[in-house]
Amino acid sequence: MRTSGEEQARYEAATPRSRALYEEAQHYLPGGESRTSTYWPPYPLTIVRGEGCRVWDADGACRLDFFNNFTTLALGHNHPAVARAVEAQLRDGTSFFGGTEHQVRLARMLCERIPSLQQVRFTNSGTEATLNAVRAARAFTGRAKIAKCEGGYHGTHEALAVSTTPPLALVGRPDRPAQVPSDPGLPQSVVDNVVVLPFNNVEAARRLIVEHHEELAAVIVEPVLGTGGMVPATGEFLAMLRDVTEQHGIVLVFDEVVTFQVGPGGAQEHYGVTPDMTALGKLIGGGMPVGAFGGRRDIMALYDQSTSGPHLGHAGTFNGHPLAMVAGTVVLEHLTPEVYRRLSGLGEGVRMRIKALGRELEAPVQATGLGSLFAVHLTDRPVHNYRDAAAVDEDLRLRVFLGLMNEGVYLSPKLLGCLSTAIGEAEVDQFIAALRRVLLRNMK
Ligand SMILES: Cc1ncc(COP(=O)(O)O)c(C=O)c1O
């Protein structure tokens, strides 16, 4: 087995300009970055350009992009139709004190496609989408607590910053997970308002919701645990959440910021479970900053200022930003049911081939995911929840990540992957061949 130093040494030898830019960045940006998830040791890459399924770094190296900024680029980089629409909007103006037709068009497309959306509001990020969904649920029910799943990530606001990536030493009982603050300085009152559910544990999660039902405003869940390891919920788990929340008047929120990539109506259509509210982001802005939240008309009425109150405030200088609205509209126009089927088929093939590679090499390698979302897990145990996904040799995972970089494939540091329509069978062949070489170097 090689040492971690060898993949790292190769990475460093190939990326001197990224290193120099990172060192300069560290003077001005703490950690050299503006985004927690884009740091990895020894230093992250600086990207200069993307085209289709490829990105180029500051040293001129080209890599296959199998992460696509975590589902923001369903059509790949610099898609000509998206670029044309954005260029036209640039000429018409970038920002107005007033609405545009584009936001109405995108809202209509989303409401027509996503079963739970009767009405929708736009934001500038997925964080703001889940933040507003939580506020709406609290205002609608008059209750304070929110239940979320262990390992569930819903953005950087405080209300849900509990047990997102808790250290395994602190997680507590599997049927009654501990409330682990995700950040220092999180007030205890915020932690106390979060009930942590065990993902995919039907009976234990039901028990916890029933126990707290009088205080629960909402249950929020990612139908596929994204940052937590691309682990799909079972249909039984989501059906239980629907059933118990309906019974107790709790607002069920699906966070589909990532899972809207699995099909035209999102994961809710795939599973046949319709929540009360849905949070969206990433894909629907076609590469521009965006978010959206919506759902039942009676809940969304909280935002309707043409009626008598009480109203919930939702200002935001850039809400419904024209560039995001036009880019998102073009992306959705291209994502026909047929295109989604092709993407999901490609994803299924990727997962099957990763598993086959593990068997062939007799290495502890697994794949999870849904549709065109996937993750590589370096374990021989089945992965059903956050704890299963987090029980990994982190040094080995870093070696595999840097090894893939060295082989010209860009995944996330946690080995999460998201396909785009710019990827074809030839690129999947290249990815699998690269993964094979990396696993042979690092696991045999
Ligand atoms: C499921 C989920 N919800 C919400 C967010 C937050 O979105 P944003 O980064 O746009 O604030 C993310 C970001 O990765 C996410 O994965």
Side-chain angles (χ1 to χ4, degrees), residues 396-433:
L396 173 62
R397 186 169 63 186
L398 177 63
R399 290 204 304 270
V400 169
F401 165 68
L402 291 176
L404 284 169
M405 286 285 199
N406 293 335
E407 294 286 344
V409 180
Y410 202 163
L411 241 61
S412 91
K414 286 187 174 174
L415 306 183
L416 310 179
C418 311
L419 303 179
S420 76
T421 58
I423 292 174
E425 295 289 350
E427 286 79 26
V428 172
D429 288 347
Q430 284 175 48
F431 164 53
I432 296 294

PDB file of all heavy atoms in Angstrom, residues 396-433:
ATOM      1  N   LEU A 396      -7.635   7.445   3.890  1.00  0.00           N
ATOM      2  CA  LEU A 396      -7.770   6.683   2.643  1.00  0.00           C
ATOM      3  C   LEU A 396      -8.676   7.429   1.657  1.00  0.00           C
ATOM      4  O   LEU A 396      -8.383   7.524   0.460  1.00  0.00           O
ATOM      5  CB  LEU A 396      -8.355   5.293   2.949  1.00  0.00           C
ATOM      6  CG  LEU A 396      -8.715   4.436   1.735  1.00  0.00           C
ATOM      7  CD1 LEU A 396      -7.476   4.125   0.893  1.00  0.00           C
ATOM      8  CD2 LEU A 396      -9.396   3.138   2.172  1.00  0.00           C
ATOM      9  N   ARG A 397      -9.783   7.989   2.181  1.00  0.00           N
ATOM     10  CA  ARG A 397     -10.709   8.715   1.295  1.00  0.00           C
ATOM     11  C   ARG A 397     -10.018   9.920   0.661  1.00  0.00           C
ATOM     12  O   ARG A 397     -10.192  10.185  -0.527  1.00  0.00           O
ATOM     13  CB  ARG A 397     -11.946   9.150   2.081  1.00  0.00           C
ATOM     14  CG  ARG A 397     -13.011   9.770   1.192  1.00  0.00           C
ATOM     15  CD  ARG A 397     -14.317   9.956   1.906  1.00  0.00           C
ATOM     16  NE  ARG A 397     -14.205  10.887   3.019  1.00  0.00           N
ATOM     17  CZ  ARG A 397     -15.186  11.137   3.882  1.00  0.00           C
ATOM     18  NH1 ARG A 397     -16.346  10.513   3.771  1.00  0.00           N
ATOM     19  NH2 ARG A 397     -15.024  12.004   4.865  1.00  0.00           N
ATOM     20  N   LEU A 398      -9.170  10.600   1.428  1.00  0.00           N
ATOM     21  CA  LEU A 398      -8.433  11.741   0.877  1.00  0.00           C
ATOM     22  C   LEU A 398      -7.451  11.274  -0.207  1.00  0.00           C
ATOM     23  O   LEU A 398      -7.307  11.919  -1.253  1.00  0.00           O
ATOM     24  CB  LEU A 398      -7.692  12.489   1.991  1.00  0.00           C
ATOM     25  CG  LEU A 398      -6.833  13.667   1.536  1.00  0.00           C
ATOM     26  CD1 LEU A 398      -7.694  14.763   0.902  1.00  0.00           C
ATOM     27  CD2 LEU A 398      -6.023  14.251   2.697  1.00  0.00           C
ATOM     28  N   ARG A 399      -6.809  10.124   0.047  1.00  0.00           N
ATOM     29  CA  ARG A 399      -5.872   9.597  -0.967  1.00  0.00           C
ATOM     30  C   ARG A 399      -6.605   9.273  -2.269  1.00  0.00           C
ATOM     31  O   ARG A 399      -6.127   9.567  -3.355  1.00  0.00           O
ATOM     32  CB  ARG A 399      -5.185   8.326  -0.453  1.00  0.00           C
ATOM     33  CG  ARG A 399      -4.200   8.561   0.651  1.00  0.00           C
ATOM     34  CD  ARG A 399      -3.161   7.454   0.727  1.00  0.00           C
ATOM     35  NE  ARG A 399      -3.673   6.109   0.869  1.00  0.00           N
ATOM     36  CZ  ARG A 399      -3.924   5.497   2.031  1.00  0.00           C
ATOM     37  NH1 ARG A 399      -3.709   6.139   3.169  1.00  0.00           N
ATOM     38  NH2 ARG A 399      -4.375   4.275   2.067  1.00  0.00           N
ATOM     39  N   VAL A 400      -7.786   8.673  -2.121  1.00  0.00           N
ATOM     40  CA  VAL A 400      -8.551   8.313  -3.326  1.00  0.00           C
ATOM     41  C   VAL A 400      -9.010   9.584  -4.053  1.00  0.00           C
ATOM     42  O   VAL A 400      -8.943   9.668  -5.289  1.00  0.00           O
ATOM     43  CB  VAL A 400      -9.741   7.386  -2.955  1.00  0.00           C
ATOM     44  CG1 VAL A 400     -10.692   7.210  -4.131  1.00  0.00           C
ATOM     45  CG2 VAL A 400      -9.215   6.038  -2.474  1.00  0.00           C
ATOM     46  N   PHE A 401      -9.439  10.582  -3.291  1.00  0.00           N
ATOM     47  CA  PHE A 401      -9.870  11.853  -3.892  1.00  0.00           C
ATOM     48  C   PHE A 401      -8.712  12.510  -4.657  1.00  0.00           C
ATOM     49  O   PHE A 401      -8.856  12.889  -5.832  1.00  0.00           O
ATOM     50  CB  PHE A 401     -10.396  12.775  -2.785  1.00  0.00           C
ATOM     51  CG  PHE A 401     -10.541  14.204  -3.201  1.00  0.00           C
ATOM     52  CD1 PHE A 401     -11.501  14.584  -4.133  1.00  0.00           C
ATOM     53  CD2 PHE A 401      -9.713  15.187  -2.667  1.00  0.00           C
ATOM     54  CE1 PHE A 401     -11.631  15.913  -4.522  1.00  0.00           C
ATOM     55  CE2 PHE A 401      -9.839  16.509  -3.051  1.00  0.00           C
ATOM     56  CZ  PHE A 401     -10.800  16.869  -3.985  1.00  0.00           C
ATOM     57  N   LEU A 402      -7.549  12.618  -3.990  1.00  0.00           N
ATOM     58  CA  LEU A 402      -6.393  13.245  -4.661  1.00  0.00           C
ATOM     59  C   LEU A 402      -5.926  12.365  -5.824  1.00  0.00           C
ATOM     60  O   LEU A 402      -5.512  12.867  -6.877  1.00  0.00           O
ATOM     61  CB  LEU A 402      -5.240  13.454  -3.668  1.00  0.00           C
ATOM     62  CG  LEU A 402      -5.473  14.507  -2.577  1.00  0.00           C
ATOM     63  CD1 LEU A 402      -4.286  14.550  -1.602  1.00  0.00           C
ATOM     64  CD2 LEU A 402      -5.703  15.891  -3.175  1.00  0.00           C
ATOM     65  N   GLY A 403      -6.031  11.037  -5.653  1.00  0.00           N
ATOM     66  CA  GLY A 403      -5.656  10.114  -6.725  1.00  0.00           C
ATOM     67  C   GLY A 403      -6.513  10.342  -7.964  1.00  0.00           C
ATOM     68  O   GLY A 403      -6.023  10.383  -9.091  1.00  0.00           O
ATOM     69  N   LEU A 404      -7.834  10.529  -7.745  1.00  0.00           N
ATOM     70  CA  LEU A 404      -8.719  10.803  -8.887  1.00  0.00           C
ATOM     71  C   LEU A 404      -8.356  12.128  -9.543  1.00  0.00           C
ATOM     72  O   LEU A 404      -8.360  12.249 -10.775  1.00  0.00           O
ATOM     73  CB  LEU A 404     -10.187  10.800  -8.435  1.00  0.00           C
ATOM     74  CG  LEU A 404     -10.788   9.415  -8.199  1.00  0.00           C
ATOM     75  CD1 LEU A 404     -12.140   9.519  -7.509  1.00  0.00           C
ATOM     76  CD2 LEU A 404     -10.935   8.648  -9.516  1.00  0.00           C
ATOM     77  N   MET A 405      -8.029  13.123  -8.728  1.00  0.00           N
ATOM     78  CA  MET A 405      -7.554  14.412  -9.285  1.00  0.00           C
ATOM     79  C   MET A 405      -6.322  14.160 -10.152  1.00  0.00           C
ATOM     80  O   MET A 405      -6.200  14.711 -11.252  1.00  0.00           O
ATOM     81  CB  MET A 405      -7.148  15.356  -8.148  1.00  0.00           C
ATOM     82  CG  MET A 405      -8.290  15.931  -7.407  1.00  0.00           C
ATOM     83  SD  MET A 405      -9.042  17.202  -8.427  1.00  0.00           S
ATOM     84  CE  MET A 405      -9.929  18.080  -7.187  1.00  0.00           C
ATOM     85  N   ASN A 406      -5.414  13.353  -9.641  1.00  0.00           N
ATOM     86  CA  ASN A 406      -4.176  13.065 -10.382  1.00  0.00           C
ATOM     87  C   ASN A 406      -4.462  12.321 -11.685  1.00  0.00           C
ATOM     88  O   ASN A 406      -3.703  12.414 -12.644  1.00  0.00           O
ATOM     89  CB  ASN A 406      -3.217  12.240  -9.525  1.00  0.00           C
ATOM     90  CG  ASN A 406      -2.690  13.035  -8.339  1.00  0.00           C
ATOM     91  OD1 ASN A 406      -2.654  14.270  -8.383  1.00  0.00           O
ATOM     92  ND2 ASN A 406      -2.296  12.349  -7.273  1.00  0.00           N
ATOM     93  N   GLU A 407      -5.595  11.592 -11.693  1.00  0.00           N
ATOM     94  CA  GLU A 407      -5.982  10.837 -12.897  1.00  0.00           C
ATOM     95  C   GLU A 407      -6.924  11.643 -13.783  1.00  0.00           C
ATOM     96  O   GLU A 407      -7.482  11.119 -14.743  1.00  0.00           O
ATOM     97  CB  GLU A 407      -6.665   9.529 -12.494  1.00  0.00           C
ATOM     98  CG  GLU A 407      -5.760   8.543 -11.770  1.00  0.00           C
ATOM     99  CD  GLU A 407      -4.765   7.864 -12.708  1.00  0.00           C
ATOM    100  OE1 GLU A 407      -4.967   7.920 -13.945  1.00  0.00           O
ATOM    101  OE2 GLU A 407      -3.791   7.277 -12.200  1.00  0.00           O
ATOM    102  N   GLY A 408      -7.180  12.897 -13.408  1.00  0.00           N
ATOM    103  CA  GLY A 408      -7.983  13.757 -14.279  1.00  0.00           C
ATOM    104  C   GLY A 408      -9.482  13.670 -14.068  1.00  0.00           C
ATOM    105  O   GLY A 408     -10.263  13.936 -14.989  1.00  0.00           O
ATOM    106  N   VAL A 409      -9.911  13.297 -12.851  1.00  0.00           N
ATOM    107  CA  VAL A 409     -11.356  13.254 -12.565  1.00  0.00           C
ATOM    108  C   VAL A 409     -11.646  14.050 -11.299  1.00  0.00           C
ATOM    109  O   VAL A 409     -10.990  13.874 -10.273  1.00  0.00           O
ATOM    110  CB  VAL A 409     -11.861  11.811 -12.370  1.00  0.00           C
ATOM    111  CG1 VAL A 409     -13.364  11.824 -12.085  1.00  0.00           C
ATOM    112  CG2 VAL A 409     -11.564  10.957 -13.584  1.00  0.00           C
ATOM    113  N   TYR A 410     -12.667  14.905 -11.394  1.00  0.00           N
ATOM    114  CA  TYR A 410     -13.023  15.819 -10.307  1.00  0.00           C
ATOM    115  C   TYR A 410     -14.293  15.309  -9.626  1.00  0.00           C
ATOM    116  O   TYR A 410     -15.379  15.350 -10.191  1.00  0.00           O
ATOM    117  CB  TYR A 410     -13.274  17.182 -10.939  1.00  0.00           C
ATOM    118  CG  TYR A 410     -13.155  18.392 -10.054  1.00  0.00           C
ATOM    119  CD1 TYR A 410     -13.029  19.654 -10.632  1.00  0.00           C
ATOM    120  CD2 TYR A 410     -13.175  18.308  -8.675  1.00  0.00           C
ATOM    121  CE1 TYR A 410     -12.921  20.795  -9.861  1.00  0.00           C
ATOM    122  CE2 TYR A 410     -13.065  19.449  -7.902  1.00  0.00           C
ATOM    123  CZ  TYR A 410     -12.948  20.678  -8.493  1.00  0.00           C
ATOM    124  OH  TYR A 410     -12.850  21.804  -7.727  1.00  0.00           O
ATOM    125  N   LEU A 411     -14.145  14.804  -8.398  1.00  0.00           N
ATOM    126  CA  LEU A 411     -15.284  14.438  -7.550  1.00  0.00           C
ATOM    127  C   LEU A 411     -15.230  15.343  -6.323  1.00  0.00           C
ATOM    128  O   LEU A 411     -14.304  16.127  -6.190  1.00  0.00           O
ATOM    129  CB  LEU A 411     -15.127  12.974  -7.100  1.00  0.00           C
ATOM    130  CG  LEU A 411     -16.207  11.962  -7.494  1.00  0.00           C
ATOM    131  CD1 LEU A 411     -16.297  11.858  -9.005  1.00  0.00           C
ATOM    132  CD2 LEU A 411     -15.859  10.577  -6.947  1.00  0.00           C
ATOM    133  N   SER A 412     -16.174  15.233  -5.386  1.00  0.00           N
ATOM    134  CA  SER A 412     -16.033  16.026  -4.156  1.00  0.00           C
ATOM    135  C   SER A 412     -15.074  15.293  -3.225  1.00  0.00           C
ATOM    136  O   SER A 412     -14.882  14.079  -3.351  1.00  0.00           O
ATOM    137  CB  SER A 412     -17.385  16.218  -3.476  1.00  0.00           C
ATOM    138  OG  SER A 412     -17.612  15.183  -2.538  1.00  0.00           O
ATOM    139  N   PRO A 413     -14.502  16.025  -2.242  1.00  0.00           N
ATOM    140  CA  PRO A 413     -13.575  15.360  -1.311  1.00  0.00           C
ATOM    141  C   PRO A 413     -14.219  14.193  -0.557  1.00  0.00           C
ATOM    142  O   PRO A 413     -13.534  13.279  -0.136  1.00  0.00           O
ATOM    143  CB  PRO A 413     -13.175  16.483  -0.344  1.00  0.00           C
ATOM    144  CG  PRO A 413     -13.381  17.742  -1.123  1.00  0.00           C
ATOM    145  CD  PRO A 413     -14.549  17.480  -2.017  1.00  0.00           C
ATOM    146  N   LYS A 414     -15.565  14.227  -0.407  1.00  0.00           N
ATOM    147  CA  LYS A 414     -16.229  13.082   0.238  1.00  0.00           C
ATOM    148  C   LYS A 414     -16.597  12.000  -0.775  1.00  0.00           C
ATOM    149  O   LYS A 414     -17.379  11.106  -0.491  1.00  0.00           O
ATOM    150  CB  LYS A 414     -17.503  13.555   0.956  1.00  0.00           C
ATOM    151  CG  LYS A 414     -17.217  14.323   2.231  1.00  0.00           C
ATOM    152  CD  LYS A 414     -18.520  14.599   2.964  1.00  0.00           C
ATOM    153  CE  LYS A 414     -18.245  15.246   4.309  1.00  0.00           C
ATOM    154  NZ  LYS A 414     -19.503  15.647   4.974  1.00  0.00           N
ATOM    155  N   LEU A 415     -16.095  12.127  -1.969  1.00  0.00           N
ATOM    156  CA  LEU A 415     -16.341  11.179  -3.077  1.00  0.00           C
ATOM    157  C   LEU A 415     -17.815  11.138  -3.471  1.00  0.00           C
ATOM    158  O   LEU A 415     -18.362  10.075  -3.788  1.00  0.00           O
ATOM    159  CB  LEU A 415     -15.823   9.775  -2.735  1.00  0.00           C
ATOM    160  CG  LEU A 415     -14.348   9.700  -2.309  1.00  0.00           C
ATOM    161  CD1 LEU A 415     -13.933   8.250  -2.064  1.00  0.00           C
ATOM    162  CD2 LEU A 415     -13.418  10.317  -3.359  1.00  0.00           C
ATOM    163  N   LEU A 416     -18.452  12.306  -3.443  1.00  0.00           N
ATOM    164  CA  LEU A 416     -19.815  12.433  -3.961  1.00  0.00           C
ATOM    165  C   LEU A 416     -19.735  12.821  -5.428  1.00  0.00           C
ATOM    166  O   LEU A 416     -18.824  13.564  -5.825  1.00  0.00           O
ATOM    167  CB  LEU A 416     -20.583  13.525  -3.211  1.00  0.00           C
ATOM    168  CG  LEU A 416     -20.581  13.492  -1.688  1.00  0.00           C
ATOM    169  CD1 LEU A 416     -21.385  14.672  -1.126  1.00  0.00           C
ATOM    170  CD2 LEU A 416     -21.157  12.181  -1.172  1.00  0.00           C
ATOM    171  N   GLY A 417     -20.702  12.363  -6.209  1.00  0.00           N
ATOM    172  CA  GLY A 417     -20.715  12.695  -7.626  1.00  0.00           C
ATOM    173  C   GLY A 417     -22.103  13.070  -8.128  1.00  0.00           C
ATOM    174  O   GLY A 417     -23.116  12.593  -7.605  1.00  0.00           O
ATOM    175  N   CYS A 418     -22.157  13.974  -9.108  1.00  0.00           N
ATOM    176  CA  CYS A 418     -23.412  14.401  -9.746  1.00  0.00           C
ATOM    177  C   CYS A 418     -23.124  14.504 -11.242  1.00  0.00           C
ATOM    178  O   CYS A 418     -22.201  15.224 -11.633  1.00  0.00           O
ATOM    179  CB  CYS A 418     -23.845  15.772  -9.261  1.00  0.00           C
ATOM    180  SG  CYS A 418     -23.838  15.942  -7.472  1.00  0.00           S
ATOM    181  N   LEU A 419     -23.919  13.823 -12.054  1.00  0.00           N
ATOM    182  CA  LEU A 419     -23.649  13.823 -13.494  1.00  0.00           C
ATOM    183  C   LEU A 419     -24.301  15.039 -14.154  1.00  0.00           C
ATOM    184  O   LEU A 419     -25.161  15.695 -13.577  1.00  0.00           O
ATOM    185  CB  LEU A 419     -24.181  12.530 -14.119  1.00  0.00           C
ATOM    186  CG  LEU A 419     -23.616  11.246 -13.502  1.00  0.00           C
ATOM    187  CD1 LEU A 419     -24.220  10.021 -14.183  1.00  0.00           C
ATOM    188  CD2 LEU A 419     -22.089  11.213 -13.602  1.00  0.00           C
ATOM    189  N   SER A 420     -23.877  15.289 -15.388  1.00  0.00           N
ATOM    190  CA  SER A 420     -24.533  16.318 -16.201  1.00  0.00           C
ATOM    191  C   SER A 420     -24.826  15.711 -17.566  1.00  0.00           C
ATOM    192  O   SER A 420     -24.275  14.657 -17.913  1.00  0.00           O
ATOM    193  CB  SER A 420     -23.622  17.544 -16.365  1.00  0.00           C
ATOM    194  OG  SER A 420     -22.601  17.252 -17.318  1.00  0.00           O
ATOM    195  N   THR A 421     -25.662  16.417 -18.346  1.00  0.00           N
ATOM    196  CA  THR A 421     -26.000  15.888 -19.673  1.00  0.00           C
ATOM    197  C   THR A 421     -24.790  15.928 -20.607  1.00  0.00           C
ATOM    198  O   THR A 421     -24.825  15.327 -21.680  1.00  0.00           O
ATOM    199  CB  THR A 421     -27.145  16.695 -20.316  1.00  0.00           C
ATOM    200  OG1 THR A 421     -26.732  18.073 -20.397  1.00  0.00           O
ATOM    201  CG2 THR A 421     -28.424  16.597 -19.509  1.00  0.00           C
ATOM    202  N   ALA A 422     -23.731  16.646 -20.221  1.00  0.00           N
ATOM    203  CA  ALA A 422     -22.536  16.709 -21.076  1.00  0.00           C
ATOM    204  C   ALA A 422     -21.680  15.447 -20.946  1.00  0.00           C
ATOM    205  O   ALA A 422     -20.747  15.245 -21.721  1.00  0.00           O
ATOM    206  CB  ALA A 422     -21.710  17.945 -20.707  1.00  0.00           C
ATOM    207  N   ILE A 423     -22.001  14.618 -19.963  1.00  0.00           N
ATOM    208  CA  ILE A 423     -21.227  13.380 -19.747  1.00  0.00           C
ATOM    209  C   ILE A 423     -21.858  12.255 -20.575  1.00  0.00           C
ATOM    210  O   ILE A 423     -23.077  12.104 -20.604  1.00  0.00           O
ATOM    211  CB  ILE A 423     -21.224  13.012 -18.244  1.00  0.00           C
ATOM    212  CG1 ILE A 423     -20.417  14.057 -17.455  1.00  0.00           C
ATOM    213  CG2 ILE A 423     -20.660  11.607 -18.007  1.00  0.00           C
ATOM    214  CD1 ILE A 423     -20.462  13.875 -15.946  1.00  0.00           C
ATOM    215  N   GLY A 424     -21.013  11.482 -21.243  1.00  0.00           N
ATOM    216  CA  GLY A 424     -21.494  10.332 -22.011  1.00  0.00           C
ATOM    217  C   GLY A 424     -20.813   9.055 -21.532  1.00  0.00           C
ATOM    218  O   GLY A 424     -20.033   9.066 -20.574  1.00  0.00           O
ATOM    219  N   GLU A 425     -21.106   7.947 -22.253  1.00  0.00           N
ATOM    220  CA  GLU A 425     -20.530   6.645 -21.862  1.00  0.00           C
ATOM    221  C   GLU A 425     -19.004   6.686 -21.898  1.00  0.00           C
ATOM    222  O   GLU A 425     -18.337   6.050 -21.076  1.00  0.00           O
ATOM    223  CB  GLU A 425     -21.036   5.523 -22.786  1.00  0.00           C
ATOM    224  CG  GLU A 425     -22.537   5.256 -22.693  1.00  0.00           C
ATOM    225  CD  GLU A 425     -22.948   4.600 -21.373  1.00  0.00           C
ATOM    226  OE1 GLU A 425     -22.066   4.169 -20.603  1.00  0.00           O
ATOM    227  OE2 GLU A 425     -24.172   4.559 -21.112  1.00  0.00           O
ATOM    228  N   ALA A 426     -18.436   7.419 -22.854  1.00  0.00           N
ATOM    229  CA  ALA A 426     -16.972   7.453 -22.976  1.00  0.00           C
ATOM    230  C   ALA A 426     -16.350   8.051 -21.709  1.00  0.00           C
ATOM    231  O   ALA A 426     -15.329   7.553 -21.211  1.00  0.00           O
ATOM    232  CB  ALA A 426     -16.564   8.289 -24.192  1.00  0.00           C
ATOM    233  N   GLU A 427     -16.979   9.102 -21.185  1.00  0.00           N
ATOM    234  CA  GLU A 427     -16.443   9.734 -19.975  1.00  0.00           C
ATOM    235  C   GLU A 427     -16.640   8.822 -18.760  1.00  0.00           C
ATOM    236  O   GLU A 427     -15.779   8.780 -17.865  1.00  0.00           O
ATOM    237  CB  GLU A 427     -17.116  11.089 -19.717  1.00  0.00           C
ATOM    238  CG  GLU A 427     -16.668  12.198 -20.660  1.00  0.00           C
ATOM    239  CD  GLU A 427     -17.331  12.146 -22.020  1.00  0.00           C
ATOM    240  OE1 GLU A 427     -18.459  11.590 -22.102  1.00  0.00           O
ATOM    241  OE2 GLU A 427     -16.741  12.638 -22.995  1.00  0.00           O
ATOM    242  N   VAL A 428     -17.762   8.093 -18.735  1.00  0.00           N
ATOM    243  CA  VAL A 428     -17.961   7.138 -17.631  1.00  0.00           C
ATOM    244  C   VAL A 428     -16.876   6.063 -17.691  1.00  0.00           C
ATOM    245  O   VAL A 428     -16.292   5.686 -16.663  1.00  0.00           O
ATOM    246  CB  VAL A 428     -19.379   6.513 -17.682  1.00  0.00           C
ATOM    247  CG1 VAL A 428     -19.508   5.385 -16.665  1.00  0.00           C
ATOM    248  CG2 VAL A 428     -20.435   7.583 -17.417  1.00  0.00           C
ATOM    249  N   ASP A 429     -16.557   5.585 -18.902  1.00  0.00           N
ATOM    250  CA  ASP A 429     -15.461   4.594 -19.048  1.00  0.00           C
ATOM    251  C   ASP A 429     -14.162   5.171 -18.483  1.00  0.00           C
ATOM    252  O   ASP A 429     -13.424   4.486 -17.767  1.00  0.00           O
ATOM    253  CB  ASP A 429     -15.229   4.241 -20.528  1.00  0.00           C
ATOM    254  CG  ASP A 429     -16.358   3.391 -21.098  1.00  0.00           C
ATOM    255  OD1 ASP A 429     -17.176   2.876 -20.301  1.00  0.00           O
ATOM    256  OD2 ASP A 429     -16.432   3.262 -22.338  1.00  0.00           O
ATOM    257  N   GLN A 430     -13.885   6.442 -18.816  1.00  0.00           N
ATOM    258  CA  GLN A 430     -12.638   7.071 -18.327  1.00  0.00           C
ATOM    259  C   GLN A 430     -12.631   7.167 -16.806  1.00  0.00           C
ATOM    260  O   GLN A 430     -11.610   6.916 -16.161  1.00  0.00           O
ATOM    261  CB  GLN A 430     -12.489   8.484 -18.904  1.00  0.00           C
ATOM    262  CG  GLN A 430     -12.058   8.522 -20.365  1.00  0.00           C
ATOM    263  CD  GLN A 430     -12.056   9.981 -20.865  1.00  0.00           C
ATOM    264  OE1 GLN A 430     -11.526  10.870 -20.222  1.00  0.00           O
ATOM    265  NE2 GLN A 430     -12.667  10.208 -22.009  1.00  0.00           N
ATOM    266  N   PHE A 431     -13.783   7.522 -16.244  1.00  0.00           N
ATOM    267  CA  PHE A 431     -13.877   7.641 -14.784  1.00  0.00           C
ATOM    268  C   PHE A 431     -13.632   6.283 -14.116  1.00  0.00           C
ATOM    269  O   PHE A 431     -12.851   6.182 -13.162  1.00  0.00           O
ATOM    270  CB  PHE A 431     -15.261   8.198 -14.405  1.00  0.00           C
ATOM    271  CG  PHE A 431     -15.627   8.022 -12.957  1.00  0.00           C
ATOM    272  CD1 PHE A 431     -14.775   8.457 -11.941  1.00  0.00           C
ATOM    273  CD2 PHE A 431     -16.825   7.423 -12.593  1.00  0.00           C
ATOM    274  CE1 PHE A 431     -15.114   8.291 -10.595  1.00  0.00           C
ATOM    275  CE2 PHE A 431     -17.168   7.252 -11.254  1.00  0.00           C
ATOM    276  CZ  PHE A 431     -16.308   7.685 -10.271  1.00  0.00           C
ATOM    277  N   ILE A 432     -14.293   5.255 -14.635  1.00  0.00           N
ATOM    278  CA  ILE A 432     -14.156   3.930 -13.997  1.00  0.00           C
ATOM    279  C   ILE A 432     -12.706   3.429 -14.130  1.00  0.00           C
ATOM    280  O   ILE A 432     -12.145   2.873 -13.177  1.00  0.00           O
ATOM    281  CB  ILE A 432     -15.167   2.927 -14.609  1.00  0.00           C
ATOM    282  CG1 ILE A 432     -16.606   3.389 -14.297  1.00  0.00           C
ATOM    283  CG2 ILE A 432     -14.917   1.510 -14.107  1.00  0.00           C
ATOM    284  CD1 ILE A 432     -17.002   3.374 -12.824  1.00  0.00           C
ATOM    285  N   ALA A 433     -12.082   3.654 -15.288  1.00  0.00           N
ATOM    286  CA  ALA A 433     -10.684   3.228 -15.471  1.00  0.00           C
ATOM    287  C   ALA A 433      -9.777   3.985 -14.496  1.00  0.00           C
ATOM    288  O   ALA A 433      -8.847   3.409 -13.897  1.00  0.00           O
ATOM    289  CB  ALA A 433     -10.251   3.474 -16.912  1.00  0.00           C
TER     290      ALA A 433
END
